[in-house]
Amino acid sequence: MEFEKWAAYQTALRKLVVNVDGEERQAAPWPDWAITTVIDTSRVWPAVWRAVSCHKTQMAIHRKLEELSNEHQRSLWGTQEFYRVFSVVNGGRAQESDLFEGLR
């Protein structure tokens, strides 16, 4: 995950941690080499944020995200990253820019 996006999460949430069965689990960004697809949503990031905002009751952290600056909001919602466990498109050797790349 790119540094700016992780910095925005850390600004809003400080330490991303959850307790599961008494065990503390801290979130960590995906390493860049594991990300196989990056979708550029920079032109529509406000719409992405509005969509995320529709799930306020599912996001205990929503208020903290809402307080972020526009710069951090753009960092969070301006790209969407995905990873494939296995890709028959390019064997994971090249980053894709479309979830359907190679399938059309």
Side-chain angles (χ1 to χ4, degrees):
M1 176 184 288
E2 64 191 59
F3 176 76
E4 291 83 14
K5 186 171 279 198
W6 188 249
Y9 278 119
Q10 294 290 62
T11 296
L13 310 170
R14 304 292 180 244
K15 182 179 180 185
L16 297 172
V17 66
V18 66
N19 284 305
V20 178
D21 298 329
E23 183 81 24
E24 186 177 273
R25 298 181 184 182
Q26 185 173 352
W30 283 101
D32 288 340
W33 61 263
I35 297 171
T36 58
T37 309
V38 177
I39 308 292
D40 180 3
T41 53
S42 60
R43 293 185 337 177
V44 295
W45 76 263
V48 175
W49 170 238
R50 283 193 306 275
V52 170
S53 296
C54 289
H55 302 280
K56 288 181 183 178
T57 60
Q58 297 172 5
M59 292 176 41
I61 61 170
H62 186 269
R63 270 194 314 293
K64 292 179 182 179
L65 289 172
E66 213 168 35
E67 295 169 3
L68 290 176
S69 69
N70 276 349
E71 178 184 351
H72 279 144
Q73 292 288 358
R74 262 191 308 277
S75 292
L76 285 175
W77 317 117
T79 59
Q80 303 298 305
E81 294 83 18
F82 301 89
Y83 72 96
R84 292 180 194 244
V85 173
F86 175 76
S87 176
V88 295
V89 176
N90 64 41
R93 290 181 181 85
Q95 202 170 70
E96 301 168 9
S97 59
D98 183 329
L99 291 176
F100 299 103
E101 190 171 311
L103 302 176
R104 293 192 182 110

